[in-house]
Amino acid sequence: MKKAPKRKHWTILLLSILLTSMISCGSDDGPDDNGETAEHAETKQKLIGEWRLVSSTVDGEAVGSEDFSYLKESKATFNEDNSYELAYIKRSGNSSATSILAGTYTVDGINSVTFLNSTSKIELMDDALRITSTTDDNKTQVDIFIRSDSELFNDDQGNGDIIGDDEDDNSNPPDPSFDGSAIISQIQGVWEITNVTDECQVKNTLEFVDSEKVIFTQHKKSFNRNDLLNYNVSVSFPLQSDFSGVVTKGFNTVTFDSTANCQFIKESNLSYLVQDAETIIIKESSKLTFKLVDDNTINLIFEYEDEDSNEQVLQFVYTKA
């Protein structure tokens, strides 16, 4: 007669089955209730949100600044429900035209996404979205988008670049009864900044060249994508290590040089008016004012709104060189 298996053998076998089942159910690599693996979920989270266009080339050549000034406003949005919308802003004569591409997407795997209702090739890279399409004249256009919340868009206003070329003209004319000839004579020449320690900002200067013109020169240690976009510069992504260029837009001329100690230099050619014995206003900007403290000191005052719409004031001190 055969003996029945000992109870401890059954116990060991049961524990082995339970342990195997627990390991299988607890695996992070298996699909969830929606059939998505951890790899799918990670790729989808990288995709969801808003993306901004930062670079555009046609047959390998960067899009010209006039066309890019419109194209850079293009955005792509990807939603949790697997829908997406791509809004392309393109130049049309002297205005812009918007084309909308919308549909759904499917995550296939790590950084692999299929887009429905699209004839373009759309690739998700580590931190960028590359869209390859064919233009009306049968050329290959490659557009690069990065996330709108990328740190590459960080605004460093006040760090050496405090006036754009899209400022509102100053609407406060000087008192016509004031004779500013003595002040004009007094301020002529170069003035150097004094109350900063940054190795590039210490090079900032004001130069009053005649009775109406002042040259405001600013230096920054580096530049970011916002700086390039502000001046309609379409550059490959990621940025090449030896990029350089000079761009003139409005009353500003900017030198970009990624190999220089101060990579960003902006020269603003401005028009000034003496309003009273101590106030000098700038025609091109209602945010920028000079205050004459004494024969050898001028305060530069810049007022602006931060991202929370709070009024902020920056003040820099310049002395006669």
Side-chain angles (χ1 to χ4, degrees):
M1 177 182 295
K2 295 182 179 181
K3 294 182 179 180
K6 293 182 179 180
R7 178 176 298 178
K8 67 177 182 179
H9 292 166
W10 284 106
T11 302
I12 292 173
L13 179 61
L14 179 59
L15 288 173
S16 176
I17 294 173
L18 288 173
L19 181 61
T20 301
S21 176
M22 289 172 64
I23 293 174
S24 176
C25 293
S27 174
D28 290 335
D29 295 328
D32 60 14
D33 293 341
N34 298 319
E36 290 187 349
T37 65
E39 294 175 348
H40 287 72
E42 181 180 354
T43 295
K44 184 172 181 178
Q45 287 306 309
K46 289 168 63 175
L47 188 64
I48 291 174
E50 183 181 83
W51 299 68
R52 291 174 58 185
L53 188 144
V54 295
S55 173
S56 183
T57 60
V58 176
D59 279 355
E61 296 291 329
V63 171
S65 60
E66 290 189 8
D67 288 329
F68 192 65
S69 66
Y70 294 93
L71 192 60
K72 70 179 183 181
E73 301 300 327
S74 302
K75 288 183 173 61
T77 305
F78 299 88
N79 303 309
E80 182 75 34
D81 64 0
N82 284 50
S83 64
Y84 76 92
E85 179 179 285
L86 175 59
Y88 259 114
I89 315 296
K90 295 186 177 182
R91 182 185 179 191
S92 179
N94 293 323
S95 60
S96 63
T98 303
S99 59
I100 302 293
L101 175 66
T104 57
Y105 66 90
T106 302
V107 176
D108 302 319
I110 298 178
N111 292 347
S112 178
V113 181
T114 298
F115 294 82
L116 306 180
N117 301 336
S118 173
T119 58
S120 301
K121 181 182 180 181
I122 307 179
E123 303 165 274
L124 177 64
M125 299 181 288
D126 286 341
D127 50 6
L129 194 70
R130 180 168 59 197
I131 300 179
T132 305
S133 57
T134 302
T135 64
D136 294 338
D137 50 358
N138 207 34
K139 295 181 179 180
T140 300
Q141 179 167 329
V142 178
D143 299 313
I144 304 295
F145 293 75
I146 63 176
R147 293 184 62 91
S148 295
D149 57 2
S150 169
E151 63 180 11
L152 296 178
F153 293 124
N154 284 349
D155 187 10
D156 55 353
Q157 188 169 40
N159 257 341
D161 185 13
I162 63 173
I163 180 172
D165 59 352
D166 54 353
E167 305 283 352
D168 293 332
D169 289 345
N170 201 322
S171 58
N172 299 315
D175 184 349
S177 64
F178 181 78
D179 181 6
S181 57
I183 303 298
I184 291 172
S185 177
Q186 178 184 338
I187 63 178
Q188 294 302 294
V190 177
W191 298 69
E192 299 174 341
I193 197 167
T194 63
N195 63 332
V196 295
T197 57
D198 180 88
E199 62 180 336
C200 289
Q201 275 192 281
V202 295
K203 299 180 180 181
N204 291 359
T205 59
L206 298 171
E207 183 179 5
F208 293 87
V209 294
D210 56 30
S211 61
E212 295 181 348
K213 300 294 181 183
V214 57
I215 300 173
F216 179 26
T217 304
Q218 303 172 81
H219 299 72
K220 288 200 302 182
K221 181 69 175 178
S222 61
F223 56 88
N224 59 22
R225 280 286 166 178
N226 261 346
D227 294 315
L228 294 170
L229 292 175
N230 285 341
Y231 291 92
N232 304 327
V233 180
S234 177
V235 183
S236 61
F237 183 89
L239 184 67
Q240 61 265 37
S241 59
D242 58 349
F243 171 75
S244 63
V246 179
V247 180
T248 298
K249 182 183 175 187
F251 49 81
N252 294 313
T253 297
V254 176
T255 300
F256 297 99
D257 186 352
S258 59
T259 64
N261 290 331
C262 299
Q263 299 180 8
F264 177 98
I265 302 175
K266 179 159 72 171
E267 183 179 284
S268 303
N269 286 273
L270 307 171
S271 303
Y272 73 92
L273 293 167
V274 177
Q275 187 169 30
D276 54 45
E278 61 179 28
T279 307
I280 301 168
I281 65 174
I282 300 301
K283 290 182 179 180
E284 290 81 3
S285 175
S286 58
K287 301 176 182 178
L288 185 64
T289 305
F290 299 143
K291 289 288 186 179
L292 186 61
V293 178
D294 55 42
D295 291 350
N296 295 299
T297 308
I298 286 179
N299 288 347
L300 183 155
I301 301 170
F302 183 69
E303 301 177 5
Y304 69 98
E305 286 188 358
D306 62 21
E307 59 185 11
D308 297 320
S309 298
N310 297 318
E311 292 289 337
Q312 302 291 342
V313 178
L314 294 172
Q315 181 167 298
F316 300 95
V317 180
Y318 286 75
T319 57
K320 199 72 174 287

